[in-house]
Amino acid sequence: MAAERGRAAEALVGQVVLPGDLLLLPAHYDEDAEGERLRLSTGAAPQGRLLCGPGLRRSGAGLLVTKCGLLRHRPGGGGAFWVDSQQKRYVPVKGDHVIGIVTAKAGDVFRLDVGGSEPASLSYLAFEGATKRNRPNVQVGDLIYGQFLVANKDMEPEMVCIDSSGRSSGMGIIGQDGFLFKVSLGLIRKLLAPKCEIIQELSQLYPFELVLGMNGRIWVKAKTVQQTLIIVNILEACEYMTAEQRKQALAKLSGT
Amino acid sequence: FMQRGLDSQTKKQLEEEEKKIISEEHWYLDVPDLKEKESCIIEERSFLPCEDLVYGRMSFKGFNPEVEKLMIQMNSKCKEEEIEDDDKMEADVSDEEMARRYETLVGTIGKKFLRKRDQRVLKDDDEDEDDEVEEGNSNTRPSKRAKKMFLKPQD
C-alpha cells in the first residue's frame, strides 16, 4: 500500500480536512539534519514550539488529522494548528471549565454528571476555604462550576473548584434559580471567542448572568422568568441563524 | 539501616557499598542510549490555548457585581501576557501614603527596642515637638538622638 502523500499544512488552512489526511509542516519544524540545513538558509526560525491542537496528532513527518472539520491556524506564539469540528457529546479534557450536576454524595466525595461517559468526582476539600470541619454546603442536584484536574481515557475524571494558587476565582456552587440547558460544543466555543457579537448584542438588552461550561451546558439567570426564557431561546436559536436574522430578532424584542 | 550516630562519611561509604552490590546483581540492557529527539511539536487536546477563549462566567448590566469584577480580572490576566505595558493597577493604598506610613512605622518599632532611660528621654522629646514640618526626620532620628546627642530645647 502506497502511503498517501501529504500536503502542506499552510495551504489547507480554512479548508475541510478529513481523518487520515497527512499534513506536512514547513521545513523548520523538521528534526532531521536536512531540516537543519534548510533552517539555517531560510533565516528567521520560529521561536517556541508548534502547538498541535484537538483533531490532530503528531506522526513522523507531519500531522495526521483525526477529526473532520476546518483546519485553523494561529500564527502567534510559535504557531498552532487545530481542527474546528462540531459535536454534541463532550469528552472530558484537563483544564476545561465545566458545569456539573451533583448526583450523589459518597462519603467525602461528590459524584457529578458532566455529560461525559463517566461521572466525575469532586472532593469536598477542593473548595476555597474548606477544611475537614468546615465542609461546603453541597446538596444533590446543585450546579457546580469547576475545572478538570485529571481527565484521560484510562481514569475517572476528577474535578476541583480551586485553581493552582488555592483561590476559587469564580468556581464553586452556582446560586439559586436560573435555567440550565444544553447546546452543541461548537456554539460554546463561538460564544467564548473574544469579542463575540452574540454576547455583545444580548448584553444590551437587559441585565442577566451567564455561565458557560465547555461541556455544552449554559446556565442563565435574569430578573424575571420571561427574560430568562427569551435569552435561552435566542442562545439556542443563534446557532443556525445568520447575523441579520439575529439582529432582526433582537430588534423586535427590544422594540416590544 | 537506621543507624544514628554514624558519621556522614561512614554513611556515604555504606551507601556506596550497597549500591555496588545492587548494581552488580541488576540486569541491564547493553544497548547505547538513544538520544531523545527534542521535538518541536506539542500535542494538546484542549481548545483553550488554541483559540484564546474568555472566562466562562459573565454578568451584564450589574446583575452580579462580583462576577463582573471577576470578568475584568480574568480577561485582563490573559491580555497581560500579550501586551507588555506598565502595570497601572489601582492599589488600595497609594504610594505616597505607603511611604508616609512606613516612615512612622520605623519610628514606632524602633522605640520598642530602646532601653528604659532612652525611652524616657524620647517621651519628653515627643511632648515638646508638636507641629514639626519634617515628620520623617523627627521620627527616625529620636531613636539615635536619644542615645548620643544633647537634646536642644524647642524655641
Side-chain angles (χ1 to χ4, degrees):
Chain A
M1 260 201 319
E4 249 190 57
R5 279 225 50 178
R7 289 172 287 173
E10 289 174 338
L12 288 172
V13 173
Q15 295 186 26
V16 176
V17 288
L18 297 173
D21 285 351
L22 187 67
L23 303 173
L24 291 176
L25 295 171
H28 37 251
Y29 290 114
D30 265 344
E31 300 143 12
D32 312 334
E34 287 183 20
E36 262 197 64
R37 264 184 258 135
L38 282 172
R39 209 191 298 159
L40 291 170
S41 62
T42 43
Q47 300 151 0
R49 301 167 163 201
L50 178 69
L51 195 67
C52 157
L56 292 174
R57 207 169 250 221
R58 184 179 46 180
S59 95
L63 299 177
L64 192 63
V65 179
T66 53
K67 279 207 181 140
C68 44
L70 294 171
L71 185 68
R72 301 272 186 225
H73 175 58
R74 188 198 65 193
F81 284 99
W82 71 94
V83 176
D84 198 358
S85 61
Q86 176 69 295
Q87 61 182 61
K88 286 190 174 175
R89 187 89 177 151
Y90 177 68
V91 173
V93 168
K94 181 176 171 175
D96 264 3
H97 293 260
V98 292
I99 300 181
I101 307 177
V102 180
T103 53
K105 265 165 120 169
D108 293 340
V109 143
F110 305 113
R111 294 249 164 269
L112 299 178
D113 167 41
V114 290
S117 54
E118 281 183 307
S121 70
L122 171 63
S123 160
Y124 76 97
L125 288 172
F127 289 86
E128 187 178 11
T131 57
K132 284 193 185 165
R133 304 273 176 93
N134 180 19
R135 290 172 178 238
N137 186 15
V138 174
Q139 307 302 324
V140 172
D142 276 354
L143 294 175
I144 299 212
Y145 187 63
Q147 64 178 350
F148 281 110
L149 189 66
V150 166
N152 48 38
K153 60 181 171 76
D154 304 314
M155 293 166 56
E156 176 195 51
E158 267 180 47
M159 277 181 62
V160 286
C161 287
I162 52 174
D163 60 10
S164 50
S165 59
R167 285 176 302 180
S168 68
S169 60
M171 296 188 273
I173 308 175
I174 297 177
Q176 297 291 318
D177 306 328
F179 192 91
L180 179 79
F181 62 104
K182 191 168 181 341
V183 292
S184 68
L185 307 189
L187 179 63
I188 297 278
R189 275 185 280 124
K190 219 200 303 183
L191 291 172
L192 281 176
K195 297 186 192 164
C196 171
E197 288 178 356
I198 307 172
I199 299 275
Q200 283 175 349
E201 285 169 20
L202 274 179
S203 65
Q204 308 296 324
L205 278 181
Y206 20 68
F208 68 98
E209 193 187 344
L210 186 66
V211 178
L212 297 161
M214 294 289 289
N215 53 349
R217 293 189 182 158
I218 306 183
W219 181 82
V220 180
K221 181 175 172 185
K223 286 203 178 133
T224 65
V225 174
Q226 201 182 22
Q227 289 178 355
T228 313
L229 288 175
I230 292 175
I231 300 178
V232 166
N233 285 327
I234 295 181
L235 285 172
E236 276 179 336
C238 69
E239 190 171 2
Y240 298 113
M241 280 202 291
T242 62
E244 289 164 9
Q245 289 172 330
R246 195 177 62 230
K247 284 181 190 158
Q248 279 176 11
L250 285 170
K252 253 195 279 177
L253 279 170
S254 50
T256 52
Chain B
F1 289 109
M2 296 287 167
Q3 296 188 12
R4 300 184 206 173
L6 268 187
D7 299 335
S8 55
Q9 277 183 356
T10 42
K11 264 192 206 165
K12 276 185 206 168
Q13 278 177 6
L14 274 176
E15 279 177 15
E16 278 172 39
E17 283 171 7
E18 280 182 17
K19 273 188 204 168
K20 277 187 216 163
I21 299 169
I22 293 172
S23 62
E24 280 168 3
E25 288 178 344
H26 278 180
W27 294 52
Y28 57 91
L29 286 173
D30 199 9
V31 163
D33 285 331
L34 290 171
K35 197 175 53 160
E36 193 185 297
K37 290 186 202 170
E38 199 199 285
S39 64
C40 305
I41 305 177
I42 328 172
E43 272 191 21
E44 174 73 53
R45 282 180 55 215
S46 158
F47 277 105
L48 211 57
C50 297
E51 288 187 15
D52 195 24
L53 304 173
V54 302
Y55 191 60
R57 269 197 109 143
M58 306 182 207
S59 155
F60 301 106
K61 295 206 169 182
F63 196 78
N64 190 340
E66 293 169 3
V67 175
E68 299 206 352
K69 263 191 256 170
L70 209 69
M71 272 171 77
I72 302 174
Q73 204 186 1
M74 299 298 267
N75 293 335
S76 64
K77 228 193 273 181
C78 297
K79 281 185 191 160
E80 261 177 32
E81 291 171 5
E82 292 176 5
I83 307 169
E84 291 172 5
D85 283 337
D86 291 322
D87 252 338
K88 284 182 188 173
M89 285 206 307
E90 291 172 18
D92 290 337
V93 184
S94 73
D95 288 343
E96 293 163 355
E97 211 186 315
M98 189 71 197
R100 246 185 287 146
R101 291 256 178 93
Y102 191 69
E103 283 171 341
T104 54
L105 186 71
V106 167
T108 45
I109 300 288
K111 274 193 230 169
K112 190 175 152 185
F113 295 105
L114 288 179
R115 296 195 202 98
K116 264 193 188 172
R117 200 187 291 171
D118 298 332
Q119 275 183 354
R120 230 186 314 141
V121 176
L122 199 56
K123 247 193 247 174
D124 294 334
D125 197 40
D126 273 349
E127 279 168 11
D128 290 336
E129 297 171 0
D130 271 328
D131 296 299
E132 274 285 344
V133 178
E134 301 164 334
E135 272 186 1
N137 284 337
S138 60
N139 280 339
T140 49
R141 283 291 185 80
S143 53
K144 289 188 187 164
R145 244 199 274 167
K147 286 181 199 165
K148 295 178 189 172
M149 289 161 47
F150 170 67
L151 295 168
K152 266 191 194 175
Q154 279 291 308
D155 287 348

